[in-house]
Amino acid sequence: MKDEIQDTKSFLQEISDQLYIYISQVTPGGMDWVVHIIVKLGLLCAVFLVVDFIFKFIINFVFRFFKSDEKYPVIRSVYQSKISNSVAHFAALLVVGAVHPSIFPATALPKTNIFINRSINLGLVMILAGMLYRSLTGFRYFFTIKQDFYKIMALNAISETVKILGIFIFSVVGLCVIFGIKGTTIVGSLGAITAVLVLVFRDTILGFVTGIHVATSKNLKVGDWVSIPKYSIEGNITDISLLTTKITNFDKTVSTIPTYDLLTTEIKNLQVMSESNTRRIKKSIYFNINSFKFLNEEDIERLKEINLISDYLEEKTKEIEREKQNLQHNDKTINGRQLTNIGVFRYYAQKYIENDPDIDQKGAKMVRQLDITPQGLPLEVYCFSNDSKWEHFEQIQADIFDHLLVASKEFDLQVMQISVKV
């Protein structure tokens, strides 16, 4: 194999010597070096294109046998990210670097050979940089096939950082290759402006840390339904990049926040609720305290006609009557326990949500009194609907409170109406 390569180089060297002599004879004096450069670069470009085409044809032909994303996720990711094209470019440029000394004698045009050598090395550096970028794209394709969105998000944060570092590193290497200087000389001169670089890339560093934290904690991912009270934002995350996070609001607008805010700002992730197909109802009705009263026998008999509380009233009435038998002044209503309209209504509301088919019966269900306010006594309904779709949820919630607001009249309760002057 070595002998064949040596014979090929000797053959190319012999042809290049004859071509060099011919060009020197036919070109005007003083212009032969220009023609030499043009011809040499043209031949090198032709060699590069031919070899690159052959490599790409072979690689793409092999990849045709691996068409299934599910069976061959790694191979498909490499193919879709076009890493194979970078490999073909790299191999073709190595071939060019190996054959170019044989095209023309190195002693004839020493400066041209130095220029071409540095150009080839610079091309190799650029191809390696492109290969690194495409490798990150390949990882993204792989995790997309695997539906691992948390790793995609982490990769987005890492890839942006790697891009910035890669641009810096390959720029330094490129300058070293072009001017033939040591990398330590350039890197050493940057020590004085390290603080400035840290200040300039502050958001980049914070975004990188945030992306890693969010991905490892698995609190958020692209597609999640989130609410951010600080910015009055509620919608779906459409993109988490190194510097910014985009959220599509339900009114079809798009909000953008700094990615590092994901660490420092309160964020409610409503995706779990959406995926479980349940959504919390937590809403209060304010009642006028002056409308509260003890129920007399007439009120109790009237309310016994309500099916949901008839058994409750029957049981409680008997229980209270037994307790009053041993009390002094049992003719006084205030002595001993009594049924109140607000208490019976609270029990009615509890039974109502427990019998509502649109309420998740596995979740918490309660009707409770909150602290008294200047607007009255709040009676809060706390439960979960069995449909998290927004429009259905609002319909379920409205049906419950429509009924309770009207039903409160049967208990002689007065709902507070608060007027606000604008």
Side-chain angles (χ1 to χ4, degrees), residues 284-290 292 368-380 414-418:
S284 300
I285 301 174
Y286 285 78
F287 290 103
N288 186 349
I289 298 174
N290 293 324
F292 296 171
R368 59 175 181 167
Q369 291 183 2
L370 302 181
D371 293 338
I372 297 175
T373 69
Q375 290 77 35
L377 175 69
L379 198 66
E380 183 185 77
Q414 182 182 356
V415 177
M416 294 298 293
Q417 298 186 49
I418 305 171

Side-chain angles (χ1 to χ4, degrees), residues 19-253:
L19 186 60
Y20 178 80
I21 296 172
Y22 175 76
I23 292 174
S24 300
Q25 292 175 349
V26 299
T27 54
M31 294 296 295
D32 57 340
W33 65 275
V34 177
V35 179
H36 283 307
I37 293 174
I38 295 173
V39 172
K40 188 167 186 178
L41 291 177
L43 289 174
L44 291 176
C45 289
V47 171
F48 174 81
L49 293 174
V50 171
V51 176
D52 181 68
F53 174 78
I54 293 172
F55 274 112
K56 283 198 292 188
F57 177 80
I58 295 172
I59 292 172
N60 291 330
F61 179 78
V62 173
F63 274 107
R64 289 178 183 176
F65 296 99
F66 305 94
K67 294 183 178 181
S68 175
D69 289 344
E70 296 180 357
K71 292 183 179 179
Y72 313 105
V74 176
I75 297 177
R76 292 299 299 171
S77 299
V78 171
Y79 179 72
Q80 292 178 5
S81 61
K82 297 183 179 180
I83 298 176
S84 56
N85 289 349
S86 295
V87 174
H89 297 333
F90 192 82
L93 202 56
L94 287 177
V95 172
V96 170
V99 303
H100 95 86
S102 302
I103 296 179
F104 286 114
T107 56
L109 297 170
K111 292 185 178 180
T112 303
N113 279 279
I114 293 174
F115 170 75
I116 292 175
N117 281 328
R118 292 182 177 178
S119 298
I120 291 173
N121 292 334
L122 180 62
L124 292 174
V125 171
M126 293 177 65
I127 291 173
L128 284 174
M131 193 180 299
L132 175 62
Y133 175 79
R134 289 178 174 178
S135 297
L136 295 172
T137 305
F139 279 112
R140 191 177 292 108
Y141 278 126
F142 176 77
F143 292 130
T144 300
I145 293 172
K146 294 294 186 179
Q147 298 293 305
D148 195 338
F149 298 106
Y150 291 108
K151 289 185 179 178
I152 291 175
M153 185 171 55
L155 184 64
N156 288 339
I158 295 173
S159 63
E160 294 293 333
T161 306
V162 170
K163 286 178 190 176
I164 294 174
L165 293 177
I167 291 172
F168 172 75
I169 293 172
F170 284 107
S171 298
V172 172
V173 174
L175 290 174
C176 295
V177 170
I178 293 173
F179 298 104
I181 58 179
K182 294 182 179 180
T184 53
T185 304
I186 297 178
V187 174
S189 63
L190 296 176
I193 59 172
T194 301
V196 178
L197 290 176
V198 171
L199 181 63
V200 170
F201 293 108
R202 170 182 173 272
D203 290 351
T204 301
I205 297 170
L206 290 175
F208 172 75
V209 174
T210 302
I212 298 299
H213 170 75
V214 171
T216 53
S217 63
K218 297 185 178 182
N219 291 329
L220 296 170
K221 67 178 184 298
V222 173
D224 279 1
W225 172 12
V226 297
S227 172
I228 307 178
K230 176 181 177 181
Y231 299 110
S232 299
I233 292 174
E234 184 172 349
N236 297 104
I237 299 176
T238 55
D239 180 59
I240 300 178
S241 63
L242 183 63
L243 298 178
T244 59
T245 296
K246 292 182 180 179
I247 299 173
T248 301
N249 302 307
F250 292 134
D251 59 359
K252 302 304 181 182
T253 60

Side-chain angles (χ1 to χ4, degrees), residues 304 309-322 347:
K304 281 183 179 180
I309 59 174
S310 58
D311 293 339
Y312 169 78
L313 290 174
E314 187 70 34
E315 180 183 348
K316 284 294 180 181
T317 302
K318 292 179 180 179
E319 185 179 327
I320 291 173
E321 288 178 355
R322 285 195 301 267
Y347 182 84

